[in-house]
Amino acid sequence: MEVEGAYSNTNEQVSALETLRQQLPDLEAPLQPTPKRQPPSRAKQLDAEHVQELIEGYRSGATVYELGNQFGIERRTVSAILHRHKVPMRRRGLSTEQIDQAIQLYNQGWSLARIGDRMNVADGTVRQRLRERGVTMRDTHGQPRVGDAR
């Protein structure tokens, strides 16, 4: 039986394999040392005085983001500290009246970001509340989004 087709002329295949083999690292060469990495740093711990300062700052109206920046910790850490000390959290969101107003503004052509700026919340919060109310979202060209059931 005679082999024909792709296997009848192997010169091109051998050449391609030789080119690939030359790109591989030399097995006789010494291994490159792995770069030294810094060990993971320990999370910053606030002492009792700073925790009290953080709690007072929150009670005075500072946001968890502002406090995180002030104390050099993440906002989630700020929230965890406040929860651990049973500090009542301020509800950041939109009231029923604000949602009604947001719907009206959105229907007038306002962007989610502009509404969020006006109401001091994130545009994602505005989007979520409008969708919960059945508002059809627009695309970037002001057209109803395709496949948006609401």
Side-chain angles (χ1 to χ4, degrees), residues 2-15:
E2 189 174 340
V3 176
E4 293 184 17
Y7 301 109
S8 62
N9 185 0
T10 59
N11 288 340
E12 288 180 30
Q13 292 172 341
V14 169
S15 237

Side-chain angles (χ1 to χ4, degrees), residues 123-143:
D123 58 327
T125 301
V126 176
R127 171 183 281 115
Q128 188 175 9
R129 296 301 165 259
L130 296 184
R131 291 199 60 165
E132 287 172 357
R133 290 277 194 94
V135 175
T136 300
M137 296 290 107
R138 299 185 302 263
D139 65 13
T140 55
H141 303 290
Q143 301 297 314

Side-chain angles (χ1 to χ4, degrees), residues 33-58:
T34 57
K36 298 274 185 203
R37 292 190 178 151
Q38 291 283 350
S41 61
R42 187 166 179 215
K44 183 175 180 178
Q45 300 291 318
L46 298 182
D47 59 30
E49 182 180 328
H50 285 110
V51 168
Q52 287 307 311
E53 206 176 306
L54 182 144
I55 291 169
E56 290 307 314
Y58 185 77

Side-chain angles (χ1 to χ4, degrees), residues 74-86:
E74 283 197 30
R75 60 118 182 128
R76 292 179 292 188
T77 306
V78 173
S79 294
I81 291 169
L82 295 171
H83 285 291
R84 193 174 320 126
H85 289 86
K86 300 192 181 353

Side-chain angles (χ1 to χ4, degrees), residues 97-150:
E97 295 78 23
Q98 288 176 312
I99 297 170
D100 292 339
Q101 184 182 17
I103 292 170
Q104 182 180 13
L105 295 171
Y106 189 75
N107 288 335
Q108 291 174 3
W110 283 42
S111 70
L112 296 171
R114 186 174 172 199
I115 296 168
D117 285 343
R118 180 176 179 152
M119 299 186 172
N120 199 26
V121 295
D123 58 327
T125 301
V126 176
R127 171 183 281 115
Q128 188 175 9
R129 296 301 165 259
L130 296 184
R131 291 199 60 165
E132 287 172 357
R133 290 277 194 94
V135 175
T136 300
M137 296 290 107
R138 299 185 302 263
D139 65 13
T140 55
H141 303 290
Q143 301 297 314
R145 289 198 180 272
V146 177
D148 192 350
R150 296 179 213 182

